[in-house]
């Protein structure tokens, strides 16, 4: 999404501050069930926001880095 800033030529991309579990699944190329399991087990950190879980982008990066390290 591109945000137009007033009359100036400046544009800025709006990036999510956190992801839903479904968005994380899509980012990782995993199924929703697998991603929910990873969140429930703590393999992917999350916070509860109302009735939903949210994942910070850096927590997705942390998970990927751990998986790469395990594979090395």
């Amino acid at each position: 999404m591109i945000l137009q800033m007033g009359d100036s030529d400046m544009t800025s991309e709006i990036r999510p501050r956190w992801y839903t579990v479904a968005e994380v699944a899509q980012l990782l190329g995993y199924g929703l069930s697998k991603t929910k399991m990873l969140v429930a087990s703590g393999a992917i950190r999350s916070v509860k926001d109302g009735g939903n879980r949210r994942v910070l982008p850096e927590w997705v990066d942390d998970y990927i880095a751990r998986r790469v390290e395990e594979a090395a």
Side-chain angles (χ1 to χ4, degrees), residues 25-58:
Q26 187 174 18
L27 285 169
L28 295 174
Y30 292 169
L32 184 57
S33 296
K34 177 176 181 169
T35 308
K36 284 182 178 181
M37 180 201 64
L38 291 169
V39 168
S41 71
I44 298 176
R45 288 181 60 191
S46 68
V47 293
K48 189 132 183 171
D49 179 43
N52 301 303
R53 288 268 162 201
R54 302 289 187 218
V55 180
L56 294 175
E58 53 266 27

PDB file of all heavy atoms in Angstrom, residues 25-58:
ATOM      1  N   ALA A  25       1.696 -17.517   8.147  1.00  0.00           N
ATOM      2  CA  ALA A  25       1.637 -18.750   7.357  1.00  0.00           C
ATOM      3  C   ALA A  25       1.909 -18.446   5.892  1.00  0.00           C
ATOM      4  O   ALA A  25       2.703 -19.135   5.238  1.00  0.00           O
ATOM      5  CB  ALA A  25       0.277 -19.425   7.529  1.00  0.00           C
ATOM      6  N   GLN A  26       1.295 -17.412   5.382  1.00  0.00           N
ATOM      7  CA  GLN A  26       1.480 -17.042   3.983  1.00  0.00           C
ATOM      8  C   GLN A  26       2.925 -16.605   3.724  1.00  0.00           C
ATOM      9  O   GLN A  26       3.524 -16.991   2.718  1.00  0.00           O
ATOM     10  CB  GLN A  26       0.506 -15.928   3.613  1.00  0.00           C
ATOM     11  CG  GLN A  26       0.506 -15.594   2.142  1.00  0.00           C
ATOM     12  CD  GLN A  26      -0.566 -14.578   1.781  1.00  0.00           C
ATOM     13  OE1 GLN A  26      -1.097 -13.881   2.638  1.00  0.00           O
ATOM     14  NE2 GLN A  26      -0.873 -14.501   0.507  1.00  0.00           N
ATOM     15  N   LEU A  27       3.488 -15.813   4.625  1.00  0.00           N
ATOM     16  CA  LEU A  27       4.876 -15.357   4.475  1.00  0.00           C
ATOM     17  C   LEU A  27       5.856 -16.526   4.426  1.00  0.00           C
ATOM     18  O   LEU A  27       6.815 -16.512   3.661  1.00  0.00           O
ATOM     19  CB  LEU A  27       5.263 -14.445   5.642  1.00  0.00           C
ATOM     20  CG  LEU A  27       4.710 -13.029   5.630  1.00  0.00           C
ATOM     21  CD1 LEU A  27       4.958 -12.360   6.976  1.00  0.00           C
ATOM     22  CD2 LEU A  27       5.337 -12.221   4.517  1.00  0.00           C
ATOM     23  N   LEU A  28       5.619 -17.527   5.277  1.00  0.00           N
ATOM     24  CA  LEU A  28       6.528 -18.667   5.369  1.00  0.00           C
ATOM     25  C   LEU A  28       6.233 -19.750   4.341  1.00  0.00           C
ATOM     26  O   LEU A  28       7.043 -20.659   4.160  1.00  0.00           O
ATOM     27  CB  LEU A  28       6.467 -19.273   6.779  1.00  0.00           C
ATOM     28  CG  LEU A  28       6.966 -18.371   7.913  1.00  0.00           C
ATOM     29  CD1 LEU A  28       6.718 -19.042   9.259  1.00  0.00           C
ATOM     30  CD2 LEU A  28       8.430 -18.034   7.726  1.00  0.00           C
ATOM     31  N   GLY A  29       5.076 -19.673   3.712  1.00  0.00           N
ATOM     32  CA  GLY A  29       4.689 -20.717   2.764  1.00  0.00           C
ATOM     33  C   GLY A  29       4.232 -21.974   3.479  1.00  0.00           C
ATOM     34  O   GLY A  29       4.328 -23.078   2.934  1.00  0.00           O
ATOM     35  N   TYR A  30       3.765 -21.827   4.715  1.00  0.00           N
ATOM     36  CA  TYR A  30       3.272 -22.951   5.519  1.00  0.00           C
ATOM     37  C   TYR A  30       1.753 -22.941   5.515  1.00  0.00           C
ATOM     38  O   TYR A  30       1.120 -21.918   5.262  1.00  0.00           O
ATOM     39  CB  TYR A  30       3.722 -22.825   6.974  1.00  0.00           C
ATOM     40  CG  TYR A  30       5.193 -22.993   7.245  1.00  0.00           C
ATOM     41  CD1 TYR A  30       5.715 -22.660   8.492  1.00  0.00           C
ATOM     42  CD2 TYR A  30       6.080 -23.476   6.296  1.00  0.00           C
ATOM     43  CE1 TYR A  30       7.063 -22.814   8.777  1.00  0.00           C
ATOM     44  CE2 TYR A  30       7.426 -23.628   6.576  1.00  0.00           C
ATOM     45  CZ  TYR A  30       7.906 -23.299   7.815  1.00  0.00           C
ATOM     46  OH  TYR A  30       9.238 -23.455   8.096  1.00  0.00           O
ATOM     47  N   GLY A  31       1.177 -24.067   5.875  1.00  0.00           N
ATOM     48  CA  GLY A  31      -0.261 -24.132   6.076  1.00  0.00           C
ATOM     49  C   GLY A  31      -0.636 -23.453   7.383  1.00  0.00           C
ATOM     50  O   GLY A  31       0.194 -23.292   8.284  1.00  0.00           O
ATOM     51  N   LEU A  32      -1.893 -23.079   7.494  1.00  0.00           N
ATOM     52  CA  LEU A  32      -2.362 -22.403   8.698  1.00  0.00           C
ATOM     53  C   LEU A  32      -2.247 -23.308   9.923  1.00  0.00           C
ATOM     54  O   LEU A  32      -1.836 -22.855  10.997  1.00  0.00           O
ATOM     55  CB  LEU A  32      -3.804 -21.920   8.511  1.00  0.00           C
ATOM     56  CG  LEU A  32      -4.403 -21.107   9.656  1.00  0.00           C
ATOM     57  CD1 LEU A  32      -3.545 -19.878   9.964  1.00  0.00           C
ATOM     58  CD2 LEU A  32      -5.821 -20.685   9.317  1.00  0.00           C
ATOM     59  N   SER A  33      -2.566 -24.597   9.774  1.00  0.00           N
ATOM     60  CA  SER A  33      -2.494 -25.522  10.907  1.00  0.00           C
ATOM     61  C   SER A  33      -1.070 -25.643  11.435  1.00  0.00           C
ATOM     62  O   SER A  33      -0.842 -25.610  12.655  1.00  0.00           O
ATOM     63  CB  SER A  33      -3.004 -26.907  10.519  1.00  0.00           C
ATOM     64  OG  SER A  33      -4.364 -26.851  10.188  1.00  0.00           O
ATOM     65  N   LYS A  34      -0.099 -25.773  10.539  1.00  0.00           N
ATOM     66  CA  LYS A  34       1.299 -25.880  10.959  1.00  0.00           C
ATOM     67  C   LYS A  34       1.736 -24.605  11.664  1.00  0.00           C
ATOM     68  O   LYS A  34       2.411 -24.648  12.696  1.00  0.00           O
ATOM     69  CB  LYS A  34       2.210 -26.142   9.761  1.00  0.00           C
ATOM     70  CG  LYS A  34       3.683 -26.200  10.134  1.00  0.00           C
ATOM     71  CD  LYS A  34       4.570 -26.544   8.980  1.00  0.00           C
ATOM     72  CE  LYS A  34       6.028 -26.611   9.436  1.00  0.00           C
ATOM     73  NZ  LYS A  34       6.887 -27.196   8.419  1.00  0.00           N
ATOM     74  N   THR A  35       1.348 -23.468  11.131  1.00  0.00           N
ATOM     75  CA  THR A  35       1.739 -22.193  11.724  1.00  0.00           C
ATOM     76  C   THR A  35       1.106 -22.019  13.100  1.00  0.00           C
ATOM     77  O   THR A  35       1.760 -21.572  14.039  1.00  0.00           O
ATOM     78  CB  THR A  35       1.368 -21.029  10.794  1.00  0.00           C
ATOM     79  OG1 THR A  35       1.908 -21.292   9.497  1.00  0.00           O
ATOM     80  CG2 THR A  35       1.911 -19.715  11.312  1.00  0.00           C
ATOM     81  N   LYS A  36      -0.156 -22.393  13.230  1.00  0.00           N
ATOM     82  CA  LYS A  36      -0.813 -22.322  14.542  1.00  0.00           C
ATOM     83  C   LYS A  36      -0.092 -23.212  15.551  1.00  0.00           C
ATOM     84  O   LYS A  36       0.064 -22.834  16.712  1.00  0.00           O
ATOM     85  CB  LYS A  36      -2.278 -22.741  14.431  1.00  0.00           C
ATOM     86  CG  LYS A  36      -3.164 -21.685  13.811  1.00  0.00           C
ATOM     87  CD  LYS A  36      -4.604 -22.155  13.778  1.00  0.00           C
ATOM     88  CE  LYS A  36      -5.522 -21.105  13.211  1.00  0.00           C
ATOM     89  NZ  LYS A  36      -6.933 -21.550  13.191  1.00  0.00           N
ATOM     90  N   MET A  37       0.352 -24.395  15.112  1.00  0.00           N
ATOM     91  CA  MET A  37       1.085 -25.294  15.993  1.00  0.00           C
ATOM     92  C   MET A  37       2.407 -24.657  16.431  1.00  0.00           C
ATOM     93  O   MET A  37       2.791 -24.729  17.597  1.00  0.00           O
ATOM     94  CB  MET A  37       1.348 -26.632  15.305  1.00  0.00           C
ATOM     95  CG  MET A  37       2.100 -27.621  16.164  1.00  0.00           C
ATOM     96  SD  MET A  37       2.922 -28.921  15.223  1.00  0.00           S
ATOM     97  CE  MET A  37       4.112 -28.005  14.284  1.00  0.00           C
ATOM     98  N   LEU A  38       3.120 -24.026  15.493  1.00  0.00           N
ATOM     99  CA  LEU A  38       4.390 -23.376  15.815  1.00  0.00           C
ATOM    100  C   LEU A  38       4.188 -22.227  16.799  1.00  0.00           C
ATOM    101  O   LEU A  38       4.997 -22.031  17.712  1.00  0.00           O
ATOM    102  CB  LEU A  38       5.062 -22.872  14.537  1.00  0.00           C
ATOM    103  CG  LEU A  38       5.586 -23.955  13.592  1.00  0.00           C
ATOM    104  CD1 LEU A  38       5.976 -23.351  12.252  1.00  0.00           C
ATOM    105  CD2 LEU A  38       6.758 -24.690  14.223  1.00  0.00           C
ATOM    106  N   VAL A  39       3.114 -21.479  16.643  1.00  0.00           N
ATOM    107  CA  VAL A  39       2.801 -20.390  17.562  1.00  0.00           C
ATOM    108  C   VAL A  39       2.418 -20.958  18.931  1.00  0.00           C
ATOM    109  O   VAL A  39       2.918 -20.499  19.967  1.00  0.00           O
ATOM    110  CB  VAL A  39       1.688 -19.488  16.985  1.00  0.00           C
ATOM    111  CG1 VAL A  39       1.148 -18.533  18.046  1.00  0.00           C
ATOM    112  CG2 VAL A  39       2.209 -18.714  15.780  1.00  0.00           C
ATOM    113  N   ALA A  40       1.569 -21.972  18.949  1.00  0.00           N
ATOM    114  CA  ALA A  40       1.120 -22.568  20.221  1.00  0.00           C
ATOM    115  C   ALA A  40       2.283 -23.173  20.998  1.00  0.00           C
ATOM    116  O   ALA A  40       2.319 -23.103  22.237  1.00  0.00           O
ATOM    117  CB  ALA A  40       0.046 -23.623  19.958  1.00  0.00           C
ATOM    118  N   SER A  41       3.249 -23.745  20.304  1.00  0.00           N
ATOM    119  CA  SER A  41       4.395 -24.378  20.966  1.00  0.00           C
ATOM    120  C   SER A  41       5.454 -23.364  21.389  1.00  0.00           C
ATOM    121  O   SER A  41       6.374 -23.705  22.123  1.00  0.00           O
ATOM    122  CB  SER A  41       5.028 -25.411  20.038  1.00  0.00           C
ATOM    123  OG  SER A  41       5.704 -24.772  18.966  1.00  0.00           O
ATOM    124  N   GLY A  42       5.337 -22.133  20.894  1.00  0.00           N
ATOM    125  CA  GLY A  42       6.317 -21.102  21.227  1.00  0.00           C
ATOM    126  C   GLY A  42       7.482 -21.047  20.254  1.00  0.00           C
ATOM    127  O   GLY A  42       8.391 -20.233  20.428  1.00  0.00           O
ATOM    128  N   ALA A  43       7.481 -21.897  19.235  1.00  0.00           N
ATOM    129  CA  ALA A  43       8.551 -21.858  18.237  1.00  0.00           C
ATOM    130  C   ALA A  43       8.555 -20.523  17.497  1.00  0.00           C
ATOM    131  O   ALA A  43       9.605 -20.019  17.113  1.00  0.00           O
ATOM    132  CB  ALA A  43       8.403 -23.015  17.250  1.00  0.00           C
ATOM    133  N   ILE A  44       7.371 -19.968  17.311  1.00  0.00           N
ATOM    134  CA  ILE A  44       7.225 -18.607  16.791  1.00  0.00           C
ATOM    135  C   ILE A  44       6.574 -17.799  17.908  1.00  0.00           C
ATOM    136  O   ILE A  44       5.468 -18.126  18.346  1.00  0.00           O
ATOM    137  CB  ILE A  44       6.355 -18.554  15.517  1.00  0.00           C
ATOM    138  CG1 ILE A  44       6.998 -19.357  14.393  1.00  0.00           C
ATOM    139  CG2 ILE A  44       6.123 -17.112  15.088  1.00  0.00           C
ATOM    140  CD1 ILE A  44       6.157 -19.447  13.128  1.00  0.00           C
ATOM    141  N   ARG A  45       7.277 -16.787  18.386  1.00  0.00           N
ATOM    142  CA  ARG A  45       6.739 -15.952  19.467  1.00  0.00           C
ATOM    143  C   ARG A  45       5.498 -15.208  19.004  1.00  0.00           C
ATOM    144  O   ARG A  45       5.363 -14.867  17.830  1.00  0.00           O
ATOM    145  CB  ARG A  45       7.779 -14.932  19.924  1.00  0.00           C
ATOM    146  CG  ARG A  45       8.913 -15.519  20.709  1.00  0.00           C
ATOM    147  CD  ARG A  45       9.884 -14.459  21.157  1.00  0.00           C
ATOM    148  NE  ARG A  45       9.225 -13.466  22.021  1.00  0.00           N
ATOM    149  CZ  ARG A  45       9.781 -12.316  22.384  1.00  0.00           C
ATOM    150  NH1 ARG A  45      10.978 -11.992  21.948  1.00  0.00           N
ATOM    151  NH2 ARG A  45       9.128 -11.485  23.165  1.00  0.00           N
ATOM    152  N   SER A  46       4.614 -14.938  19.948  1.00  0.00           N
ATOM    153  CA  SER A  46       3.404 -14.184  19.647  1.00  0.00           C
ATOM    154  C   SER A  46       2.884 -13.520  20.916  1.00  0.00           C
ATOM    155  O   SER A  46       3.321 -13.848  22.020  1.00  0.00           O
ATOM    156  CB  SER A  46       2.326 -15.105  19.065  1.00  0.00           C
ATOM    157  OG  SER A  46       1.863 -16.009  20.060  1.00  0.00           O
ATOM    158  N   VAL A  47       1.978 -12.588  20.724  1.00  0.00           N
ATOM    159  CA  VAL A  47       1.272 -11.966  21.835  1.00  0.00           C
ATOM    160  C   VAL A  47      -0.219 -12.101  21.573  1.00  0.00           C
ATOM    161  O   VAL A  47      -0.657 -12.162  20.429  1.00  0.00           O
ATOM    162  CB  VAL A  47       1.632 -10.471  22.014  1.00  0.00           C
ATOM    163  CG1 VAL A  47       3.071 -10.306  22.435  1.00  0.00           C
ATOM    164  CG2 VAL A  47       1.330  -9.667  20.787  1.00  0.00           C
ATOM    165  N   LYS A  48      -0.961 -12.171  22.651  1.00  0.00           N
ATOM    166  CA  LYS A  48      -2.415 -12.254  22.524  1.00  0.00           C
ATOM    167  C   LYS A  48      -2.972 -10.832  22.508  1.00  0.00           C
ATOM    168  O   LYS A  48      -2.661 -10.023  23.379  1.00  0.00           O
ATOM    169  CB  LYS A  48      -2.994 -13.041  23.695  1.00  0.00           C
ATOM    170  CG  LYS A  48      -4.447 -13.339  23.522  1.00  0.00           C
ATOM    171  CD  LYS A  48      -4.727 -14.775  23.791  1.00  0.00           C
ATOM    172  CE  LYS A  48      -6.204 -14.997  23.527  1.00  0.00           C
ATOM    173  NZ  LYS A  48      -6.567 -16.356  23.545  1.00  0.00           N
ATOM    174  N   ASP A  49      -3.767 -10.530  21.504  1.00  0.00           N
ATOM    175  CA  ASP A  49      -4.406  -9.226  21.350  1.00  0.00           C
ATOM    176  C   ASP A  49      -5.898  -9.475  21.246  1.00  0.00           C
ATOM    177  O   ASP A  49      -6.386  -9.850  20.176  1.00  0.00           O
ATOM    178  CB  ASP A  49      -3.869  -8.516  20.102  1.00  0.00           C
ATOM    179  CG  ASP A  49      -4.518  -7.164  19.878  1.00  0.00           C
ATOM    180  OD1 ASP A  49      -4.682  -6.418  20.859  1.00  0.00           O
ATOM    181  OD2 ASP A  49      -4.855  -6.861  18.720  1.00  0.00           O
ATOM    182  N   GLY A  50      -6.594  -9.304  22.347  1.00  0.00           N
ATOM    183  CA  GLY A  50      -8.003  -9.677  22.370  1.00  0.00           C
ATOM    184  C   GLY A  50      -8.109 -11.179  22.243  1.00  0.00           C
ATOM    185  O   GLY A  50      -7.484 -11.926  22.972  1.00  0.00           O
ATOM    186  N   GLY A  51      -8.843 -11.646  21.258  1.00  0.00           N
ATOM    187  CA  GLY A  51      -8.976 -13.081  21.033  1.00  0.00           C
ATOM    188  C   GLY A  51      -8.041 -13.616  19.972  1.00  0.00           C
ATOM    189  O   GLY A  51      -8.162 -14.763  19.557  1.00  0.00           O
ATOM    190  N   ASN A  52      -7.116 -12.777  19.517  1.00  0.00           N
ATOM    191  CA  ASN A  52      -6.240 -13.171  18.413  1.00  0.00           C
ATOM    192  C   ASN A  52      -4.778 -13.141  18.815  1.00  0.00           C
ATOM    193  O   ASN A  52      -4.388 -12.420  19.721  1.00  0.00           O
ATOM    194  CB  ASN A  52      -6.430 -12.214  17.232  1.00  0.00           C
ATOM    195  CG  ASN A  52      -7.851 -12.201  16.748  1.00  0.00           C
ATOM    196  OD1 ASN A  52      -8.389 -13.227  16.388  1.00  0.00           O
ATOM    197  ND2 ASN A  52      -8.478 -11.025  16.748  1.00  0.00           N
ATOM    198  N   ARG A  53      -3.976 -13.908  18.108  1.00  0.00           N
ATOM    199  CA  ARG A  53      -2.527 -13.901  18.283  1.00  0.00           C
ATOM    200  C   ARG A  53      -1.919 -12.989  17.239  1.00  0.00           C
ATOM    201  O   ARG A  53      -2.364 -12.947  16.090  1.00  0.00           O
ATOM    202  CB  ARG A  53      -1.955 -15.311  18.113  1.00  0.00           C
ATOM    203  CG  ARG A  53      -2.285 -16.214  19.265  1.00  0.00           C
ATOM    204  CD  ARG A  53      -1.178 -16.149  20.268  1.00  0.00           C
ATOM    205  NE  ARG A  53      -1.614 -16.656  21.550  1.00  0.00           N
ATOM    206  CZ  ARG A  53      -1.013 -16.359  22.679  1.00  0.00           C
ATOM    207  NH1 ARG A  53       0.045 -15.594  22.686  1.00  0.00           N
ATOM    208  NH2 ARG A  53      -1.454 -16.845  23.804  1.00  0.00           N
ATOM    209  N   ARG A  54      -0.882 -12.255  17.617  1.00  0.00           N
ATOM    210  CA  ARG A  54      -0.167 -11.380  16.704  1.00  0.00           C
ATOM    211  C   ARG A  54       1.320 -11.681  16.808  1.00  0.00           C
ATOM    212  O   ARG A  54       1.824 -12.032  17.877  1.00  0.00           O
ATOM    213  CB  ARG A  54      -0.396  -9.904  17.058  1.00  0.00           C
ATOM    214  CG  ARG A  54      -1.857  -9.509  17.039  1.00  0.00           C
ATOM    215  CD  ARG A  54      -2.404  -9.463  15.647  1.00  0.00           C
ATOM    216  NE  ARG A  54      -3.750  -8.920  15.658  1.00  0.00           N
ATOM    217  CZ  ARG A  54      -4.711  -9.344  14.891  1.00  0.00           C
ATOM    218  NH1 ARG A  54      -4.501 -10.317  14.040  1.00  0.00           N
ATOM    219  NH2 ARG A  54      -5.900  -8.814  14.950  1.00  0.00           N
ATOM    220  N   VAL A  55       2.014 -11.533  15.698  1.00  0.00           N
ATOM    221  CA  VAL A  55       3.435 -11.855  15.620  1.00  0.00           C
ATOM    222  C   VAL A  55       4.176 -10.652  15.059  1.00  0.00           C
ATOM    223  O   VAL A  55       3.830 -10.155  13.982  1.00  0.00           O
ATOM    224  CB  VAL A  55       3.663 -13.094  14.716  1.00  0.00           C
ATOM    225  CG1 VAL A  55       5.136 -13.430  14.632  1.00  0.00           C
ATOM    226  CG2 VAL A  55       2.852 -14.293  15.213  1.00  0.00           C
ATOM    227  N   LEU A  56       5.188 -10.195  15.779  1.00  0.00           N
ATOM    228  CA  LEU A  56       6.012  -9.092  15.291  1.00  0.00           C
ATOM    229  C   LEU A  56       6.885  -9.577  14.134  1.00  0.00           C
ATOM    230  O   LEU A  56       7.331 -10.734  14.142  1.00  0.00           O
ATOM    231  CB  LEU A  56       6.903  -8.549  16.404  1.00  0.00           C
ATOM    232  CG  LEU A  56       6.184  -7.869  17.568  1.00  0.00           C
ATOM    233  CD1 LEU A  56       7.188  -7.500  18.656  1.00  0.00           C
ATOM    234  CD2 LEU A  56       5.432  -6.644  17.095  1.00  0.00           C
ATOM    235  N   PRO A  57       7.139  -8.731  13.157  1.00  0.00           N
ATOM    236  CA  PRO A  57       7.975  -9.146  12.021  1.00  0.00           C
ATOM    237  C   PRO A  57       9.335  -9.696  12.441  1.00  0.00           C
ATOM    238  O   PRO A  57       9.814 -10.678  11.865  1.00  0.00           O
ATOM    239  CB  PRO A  57       8.126  -7.855  11.202  1.00  0.00           C
ATOM    240  CG  PRO A  57       6.888  -7.087  11.507  1.00  0.00           C
ATOM    241  CD  PRO A  57       6.592  -7.378  12.955  1.00  0.00           C
ATOM    242  N   GLU A  58       9.952  -9.111  13.470  1.00  0.00           N
ATOM    243  CA  GLU A  58      11.263  -9.611  13.892  1.00  0.00           C
ATOM    244  C   GLU A  58      11.180 -11.004  14.498  1.00  0.00           C
ATOM    245  O   GLU A  58      12.158 -11.759  14.468  1.00  0.00           O
ATOM    246  CB  GLU A  58      11.974  -8.637  14.844  1.00  0.00           C
ATOM    247  CG  GLU A  58      11.177  -8.217  16.032  1.00  0.00           C
ATOM    248  CD  GLU A  58      10.416  -6.906  15.846  1.00  0.00           C
ATOM    249  OE1 GLU A  58      10.069  -6.540  14.717  1.00  0.00           O
ATOM    250  OE2 GLU A  58      10.160  -6.254  16.870  1.00  0.00           O
TER     251      GLU A  58
END
